[in-house]
Amino acid sequence: MSTLVLTAHGSRDPRSAANARAVANRLARMRPGLDVRLAFLELNEPNFIDVLDQLPNSRDAVVSPLLLASAYHACHDLPKQIARAGAHGIRQADVLGEDERLVSVLRERLTELDVSPLDDGLGVMVVAVGSSNTAANARTAQVASTLAVGSRWAGATMAFATRHEASVAHAASRLRRRGARRIVIAPWFLAPGRITDVMWTYAQDNRIPMASPLGPHRLVAETVLDRYDQALADHVAA
C-alpha cells in the first residue's frame, strides 16, 4: 500500500491543526485504499520526522505538502527534514499552488457572503500570507486576476498580510482608486489562525465583509490527491 504523508506547517492555533486533520480524513474517505498519514513540521503532533521514521517503506511514500505557495517551507524546510530523517527514495509532491479548483472554492466562499460577479461597484481583495520569495508572491498574485475572470467587479487585487509594501490597507486604497465603492476580503488561506484573526479585526474596524478560508473543502482534498498522483507518475516516468 502506498502512503500519502499529508504535511502541514503547524500552528499554535488549534483551528489550523483541526483543519489539517479534516483534510486528512477527507482524503482517506476519497481514496480508501490509500494509507494517509498526517504530519506537522513544527508546533503540532505528530511530528514530521517521527512520521517518516514510522513508515514501513519510505520508497512507497509521497510527502504531500498542505501548503498553498512554493516558498521556503516547500523548497527548503521539507527537503532538509526529509534528508535529516534519512527517508531514502521518498518523493515530495508539489504544493497546491494557484490551482483553479482552489480559486473556485474561493468563489464559493464569496458567494456565502452574497457577493455577485455582476456587482460593478465591488472591489475584491485577495489576501495571502506573503513570502520573502518574490517569485512565489508573483505566482500567488495570479489568484486575484483568475478569481475576477468573468466578473464585472471594479477590481480584484492581491494583498500580503506579512509584506508592508503590499499590505491590506494599500490594497484597499488601490481598489478605491479603481472605482470600488465597496470592498470584500477573500482570504487565500487554508485555515483560520492568528493572521486571519488580525485580518478579521481590520475588516471589522473598517466595516469590510470577509469570507472564510478555504477550509477542508472537497476540492482542496482533490487537489492534494492530484499532486500525489502526479508525483507517482513522475517517479514511474523517470
Side-chain angles (χ1 to χ4, degrees), residues 4-11 13-28 30 36-42 44-46 48 62-75 77-78 82 91-99 102 105 129 188-192 213-228:
L4 186 159
V5 182
L6 183 68
T7 307
H9 177 263
S11 170
D13 191 309
R15 294 171 295 175
S16 179
N19 184 76
R21 292 188 183 95
V23 174
N25 290 337
R26 186 180 281 276
L27 290 170
M30 291 173 68
V36 178
R37 305 192 182 198
L38 178 62
F40 297 93
L41 292 174
E42 58 179 285
N44 299 114
E45 297 293 336
F48 179 65
V62 173
V63 171
S64 295
L66 189 59
L67 300 169
L68 290 171
S70 182
Y72 177 81
H73 295 300
C75 298
D77 199 11
L78 260 177
I82 290 171
R91 283 145 281 174
Q92 180 179 330
D94 286 340
V95 297
L96 303 182
E98 302 75 43
D99 195 285
L102 303 185
V105 178
V129 63
W188 187 244
F189 284 76
L190 289 167
L214 304 180
H217 195 282
R218 176 184 59 83
L219 291 178
V220 172
E222 186 177 296
T223 306
V224 172
L225 288 173
D226 181 74
R227 301 294 182 265
Y228 163 82

Side-chain angles (χ1 to χ4, degrees), residues 135-226:
N137 289 340
R139 289 190 296 270
T140 301
Q142 297 171 11
V143 172
S145 56
T146 303
L147 182 68
V149 170
S151 77
R152 296 181 184 176
W153 297 332
T157 192
M158 201 80 200
F160 294 104
T162 60
R163 309 300 299 174
H164 174 72
E165 70 279 8
S167 69
V168 171
H170 288 164
S173 296
R174 284 198 303 274
L175 289 170
R176 291 189 180 100
R177 287 196 298 271
R178 294 181 191 177
R181 299 186 297 275
R182 297 171 304 284
I183 294 174
V184 65
I185 293 176
W188 187 244
F189 284 76
L190 289 167
R194 294 185 175 187
I195 295 178
T196 58
D197 284 350
V198 172
M199 291 162 51
W200 176 255
T201 299
Y202 171 87
Q204 291 291 97
D205 290 346
N206 291 274
R207 298 182 180 179
I208 297 174
M210 176 171 150
S212 300
L214 304 180
H217 195 282
R218 176 184 59 83
L219 291 178
V220 172
E222 186 177 296
T223 306
V224 172
L225 288 173
D226 181 74

Side-chain angles (χ1 to χ4, degrees), residues 111-134:
T111 301
E112 292 167 357
L113 295 179
D114 294 325
V115 168
S116 169
L118 304 180
D119 187 348
D120 60 6
L122 185 70
V124 177
M125 184 195 314
V126 182
V127 186
V129 63
S131 169
S132 58
N133 185 322
T134 55

